[in-house]
């Protein structure tokens, strides 16, 4: 393990200035990914810059007009327990309940989950399905990037040198919306996902016609991806069993999984089909007004193989 200088930033300008001076400095938030990579010797920074003490980066703000604003230091545990997130962005809270154990959830941050850019990152399918945007600040100023465009590949993001993720913005969910995230993994929440699927459905009204739908697939491609052809089969349609089945099959065509120790590509495609169908059916029920207690949603959201 290499030795490094440890620095705590007190403000954003201080953090950006420090990163700009030394490209051997690595940012940490909860450090749960950092510690694993550092111990493995995969990351050998000259210095580690903690942003944990910068005030205001752990804020959660919601309004019906503006939607949700999340600071990058919001922990996975806060996503799980925040009543407004459970109410308005349930798939995000469900994803958080499937994430590691409580100790890790108390340290791990949403910003770290995004910037780590794992195709299996549990918050990513729900955030993408809700249309999240990333606000980034660096030496050249500020910009907004859709999360889908921010994730470039395993461990690769659109962050420029000395840039930081400082906020996530999610638009307000329209009326008659419902959502579910399901994680399929070898050992329930204590392992990363073999496949994770989030579906967010908005209906025209009580008649069951689909106004908008977003389906995001995790762990089946180099980045979390939208199942766009599945979505286009559903938009404008009455969401009955046949069309849901067709969409679930279309999603398997869009998935590009690999074989690894958690499952074969063929097995992963079969799970994509099952979970796309299941998340759509539950999301539709919720959009039609079915009241599903959060503890039931939590039980629906994690599926262990054993
Ligand atoms: C035992 C264990 C279990 C785990 N289980 C899961 C799981 O079930 N699901 C899952 O998705 N993940 C899991 N993880 C991975 C990890 O906990 C998450 O990815 C976590 O969200 C990372 O957040 P962090 O704050 O700890 O990130 P850190 O380790 O601090 O940082 C991660 C990366 O993001 C960068 N970074 C952090 N914040 C910013 C920022 N604001 N701006 C720019 N760059 C930034 C860092 O430089 C680093 O490259 C697990 C990890 C462990 C150790």
């Amino acid at each position: 393990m290499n030795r490094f200088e440890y620095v705590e930033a007190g403000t954003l300008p201080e953090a950006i200035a420090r990163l700009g001076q030394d490209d051997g400095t690595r940012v940490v938030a909860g450090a749960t990914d950092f510690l694993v990579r550092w111990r493995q010797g995969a990351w050998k920074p000259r210095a580690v810059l903690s942003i944990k003490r910068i005030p205001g980066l752990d804020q959660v703000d919601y309004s019906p007009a503006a939607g949700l604003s999340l600071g990058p230091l919001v922990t996975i545990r806060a996503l799980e327990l925040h009543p407004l997130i459970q109410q308005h962005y349930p798939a995000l809270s469900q994803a958080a309940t499937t994430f590691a154990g409580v100790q890790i959830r108390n340290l791990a941050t949403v910003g770290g989950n995004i910037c780590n850019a794992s195709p299996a990152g549990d918050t990513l399918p729900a955030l993408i399905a809700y249309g999240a945007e990333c606000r980034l600040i660096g030496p050249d100023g500020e910009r907004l990037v859709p999360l889908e465009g921010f994730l470039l590949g395993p461990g690769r993001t659109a962050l420029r040198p000395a840039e930081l993720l400082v906020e996530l913005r999610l638009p307000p969910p329209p009326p008659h919306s419902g959502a579910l995230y399901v994680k399929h993994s070898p050992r329930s929440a204590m392992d990363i996902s073999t496949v994770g699927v989030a579906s967010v459905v908005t209906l025209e009204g009580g008649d069951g016609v689909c106004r908008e739908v977003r389906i995001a697939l995790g762990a089946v491609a180099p980045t979390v991806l939208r199942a766009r052809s599945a979505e286009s089969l559903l938009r404008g349609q009455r969401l009955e069993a046949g069309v849901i089945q067709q969409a679930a099959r279309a999603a398997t065509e869009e998935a590009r999984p690999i074989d690894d120790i958690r499952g074969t590509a063929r097995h992963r495609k079969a799970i994509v089909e099952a979970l796309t169908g299941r998340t759509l059916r539950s999301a539709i029920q919720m959009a039609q007004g079915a009241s599903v207690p959060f503890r039931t949603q939590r039980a629906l959201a994690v599926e262990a193989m054993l």
Side-chain angles (χ1 to χ4, degrees), residues 19 26-37 43 51-52 57 72-73 76 95 98-101 104-105 107-118 120-124 136 150 159 163-166 183 188-193:
L19 290 170
R26 173 153 311 254
V27 171
V28 294
T32 58
D33 279 313
F34 170 76
L35 280 173
V36 173
R37 302 289 166 81
W43 288 351
I51 56 171
K52 233 10 225 244
L57 291 186
L73 297 183
I76 304 300
T98 73
F99 195 114
I104 292 285
R105 298 210 280 273
L107 285 172
T109 65
V110 65
N113 201 227
I114 290 170
C115 294
N116 191 50
S118 161
D122 274 310
T123 67
L124 306 177
L136 311 174
F150 180 77
L159 277 173
E163 215 171 33
L164 287 171
L165 171 64
V166 294
K183 167 177 179 166
S188 107
M190 297 311 285
D191 201 350
I192 63 167
S193 59

Side-chain angles (χ1 to χ4, degrees), residues 143-160:
R143 60 193 181 115
L144 265 185
V145 179
L147 177 56
E148 267 184 273
F150 180 77
L151 302 168
L152 302 181
R156 289 199 309 119
T157 68
L159 277 173
R160 294 175 184 154

Side-chain angles (χ1 to χ4, degrees), residues 50-154:
S50 171
I51 56 171
K52 233 10 225 244
R53 291 189 199 275
I54 299 180
L57 291 186
D58 60 352
Q59 293 290 307
V60 176
D61 286 305
Y62 171 77
S63 79
L68 183 66
S69 161
L70 292 174
L73 297 183
V74 171
T75 62
I76 304 300
R77 186 71 169 153
L79 295 181
E80 178 186 0
L81 298 179
H82 200 293
L84 289 172
I85 301 178
Q86 286 185 1
Q87 185 183 346
H88 300 289
Y89 302 88
L92 192 52
S93 289
Q94 294 152 11
T97 68
T98 73
F99 195 114
V102 172
Q103 292 93 335
I104 292 285
R105 298 210 280 273
N106 272 320
L107 285 172
T109 65
V110 65
N113 201 227
I114 290 170
C115 294
N116 191 50
S118 161
D122 274 310
T123 67
L124 306 177
L127 287 169
I128 286 179
Y130 282 123
E133 289 186 310
C134 301
R135 186 160 71 92
L136 311 174
I137 296 188
D140 299 325
E142 183 174 322
R143 60 193 181 115
L144 265 185
V145 179
L147 177 56
E148 267 184 273
F150 180 77
L151 302 168
L152 302 181

